[in-house]
Amino acid sequence: MKFNDSQSVIKRIPMVSVIVPVYNSEDDIEKCVDSILKQSWNNLEIILIDDGSTDRSSYICDKLCEKDTRIKVIHQINKGVSCARNIGLTNAQGEYIVFVDADDELTKDSIRIRMLKIAYSDLVVTGYDVVDSYYKKLYTVNRYEEEKLTQTEMLTLMFGEHQCGYQGYLWNKLFKMELIRTGNLKFREDVYYNEDRLFLIEYLMKSKCVSFERVSTYLYKINPKGAMESAKVFSRKVYNKWITEFFAYRIMSKELREYDSTLCSLCSMDAMRSAINHKKMIPKEYREERKYFSDCIREFSRDCISCRNISLNKRLTILGHYVLGR
């Protein structure tokens, strides 16, 4: 079959919507968008959601929009990354969704590699490189033993010992818009930590099969000014965001309890570990805040103790956390 123009071919290739929340990313957003524009998969749209930036990000986004018709810019007052992603999903026209953080970049064949796998599954997970601000590679996460996993196997991986790297991230994956729409999936806008994994679990509950690809398709940059790094310095503002992580854990536990009791216990165990880590980071004079996490430790450890599929030694360890609330 012959086509008179290249656009005829492109129309028969599925469109991918790339959603990029932007907040005070003036140093990185141009490089991020440029890496998307250079993709070997041409049929895509780039949705930049300027989440009330106070630096030059808004201006840069508008200038980038003039550069390529595939770029759309949406400006809003600051409402957080979850709201920005929801706005992106509402406006997306593509059959498939890729999420990118504004301070990171895609490799040249990132989207094409993912699209080659999606025909056989509902979700594609790829490897990624962690680099510093000078693009020096620190390490690669691609330790996948299987090319395909069932829904249950992927959920188990997300709450295991993280031997394959934490898989709650959105940006090394490819999603089907059809599943998002039919499942009426949205990001919880009142959750600031774990919101990505909560969305992913709700997506997986609608899925059947997951494909893995060892090739790295994403450059995750360690940003000393980023939200995750800033959260390592304790403050009342950070604490108020930390506690929303456990809102997410409770929602996940409830959904998983109806699906598989062992998965629910793994989720609770992960929540318990997180509460322990948070408590360690809080100065001792913040008694009320430390008590909150002590209560979380007891709450989630209690959920784990009752699971028969957890070994006796591990249950005894968990029991110790419950008693001490440490």
Side-chain angles (χ1 to χ4, degrees):
M1 183 180 294
K2 294 183 178 180
F3 299 97
N4 293 327
D5 64 78
S6 59
Q7 292 302 315
S8 299
V9 179
I10 292 176
K11 288 177 183 178
R12 286 160 177 77
I13 299 174
M15 176 185 280
V16 177
S17 296
V18 184
I19 296 174
V20 187
V22 181
Y23 179 72
N24 289 354
S25 304
E26 62 180 5
D27 295 334
D28 301 292
I29 186 58
E30 198 162 359
K31 288 176 285 188
C32 172
V33 172
D34 193 48
S35 76
I36 304 171
L37 292 174
K38 289 179 178 177
Q39 288 298 298
S40 56
W41 188 275
N42 291 320
N43 196 21
L44 52 84
E45 65 173 355
I46 306 169
I47 305 175
L48 305 178
I49 304 96
D50 169 36
D51 188 34
S53 296
T54 57
D55 63 0
R56 295 179 66 253
S57 295
S58 300
Y59 170 78
I60 295 171
C61 286
D62 288 336
K63 295 302 290 183
L64 287 169
C65 187
E66 297 173 4
K67 180 179 179 180
D68 196 297
T69 57
R70 294 175 295 173
I71 301 176
K72 301 176 183 178
V73 179
I74 300 170
H75 298 283
Q76 67 174 30
I77 61 174
N78 181 245
K79 294 182 179 180
V81 66
S82 290
C83 179
R85 286 169 176 157
N86 284 335
I87 293 293
L89 288 174
T90 299
N91 288 273
Q93 299 297 313
E95 297 173 51
Y96 300 93
I97 299 293
V98 168
F99 294 99
V100 178
D101 288 352
D103 51 353
D104 297 332
E105 296 173 32
L106 299 181
T107 62
K108 183 179 179 181
D109 295 318
S110 178
I111 294 176
R112 182 181 65 83
I113 289 170
R114 303 183 203 197
M115 287 297 291
L116 291 175
K117 289 276 189 179
I118 196 65
Y120 311 104
S121 61
D122 295 319
L123 177 73
V124 175
V125 182
T126 72
Y128 60 92
D129 292 331
V130 178
V131 300
D132 64 16
S133 56
Y134 299 100
Y135 293 90
K136 178 183 177 182
K137 186 189 295 187
L138 303 178
Y139 57 91
T140 297
V141 176
N142 63 355
R143 301 183 297 277
Y144 312 124
E145 296 180 0
E146 303 291 339
E147 288 191 6
K148 278 190 177 183
L149 290 181
T150 64
Q151 176 194 56
T152 301
E153 288 170 336
M154 181 61 187
L155 287 167
T156 302
L157 177 63
M158 291 178 63
F159 292 112
E161 299 298 326
H162 309 322
Q163 68 272 23
C164 294
Y166 172 63
Q167 284 305 329
Y169 300 127
L170 301 172
W171 31 255
N172 66 325
K173 298 173 176 66
L174 178 72
F175 298 83
K176 287 183 174 179
M177 177 57 92
E178 181 182 7
L179 282 180
I180 293 173
R181 284 186 174 145
T182 57
N184 194 28
L185 302 180
K186 294 181 180 179
F187 290 89
R188 283 285 300 259
E189 296 180 11
D190 58 344
V191 174
Y192 295 92
Y193 286 91
N194 236 355
E195 79 288 345
D196 45 5
R197 181 156 52 171
L198 175 57
F199 177 86
L200 186 55
I201 284 177
E202 292 177 335
Y203 182 90
L204 283 168
M205 299 298 279
K206 309 292 182 183
S207 307
K208 294 180 181 179
C209 181
V210 178
S211 290
F212 281 95
E213 171 55 64
R214 288 178 59 84
V215 175
S216 294
T217 68
Y218 195 90
L219 296 182
Y220 176 80
K221 287 191 281 185
I222 299 296
N223 182 0
K225 298 179 182 179
M228 294 306 294
E229 293 300 312
S230 299
K232 292 178 181 179
V233 180
F234 180 77
S235 68
R236 166 59 64 171
K237 183 177 180 180
V238 167
Y239 167 75
N240 288 335
K241 289 187 175 182
W242 276 356
I243 62 177
T244 69
E245 177 179 354
F246 299 92
F247 302 166
Y249 272 123
R250 292 182 184 104
I251 297 169
M252 288 186 282
S253 293
K254 182 179 178 180
E255 293 195 10
L256 291 170
R257 186 175 293 112
E258 298 173 1
Y259 175 77
D260 185 294
S261 60
T262 301
L263 282 172
C264 177
S265 295
L266 290 174
C267 175
S268 295
M269 200 178 303
D270 202 71
M272 182 190 70
R273 286 193 293 257
S274 183
I276 292 170
N277 289 334
H278 282 319
K279 185 178 178 182
K280 287 178 179 177
M281 296 174 68
I282 300 176
K284 292 184 178 180
E285 59 266 26
Y286 290 87
R287 294 182 180 180
E288 182 180 342
E289 290 80 359
R290 289 172 62 86
K291 182 181 182 302
Y292 175 85
F293 290 114
S294 292
D295 292 341
C296 284
I297 294 167
R298 292 192 176 94
E299 173 190 351
F300 289 105
S301 60
R302 184 172 58 245
D303 291 342
C304 299
I305 293 168
S306 61
C307 182
R308 296 179 180 179
N309 293 329
I310 295 177
S311 69
L312 178 60
N313 285 340
K314 187 163 285 187
R315 272 191 281 175
L316 288 172
T317 301
I318 295 168
L319 180 62
H321 290 308
Y322 173 78
V323 172
L324 298 174
R326 59 182 176 82

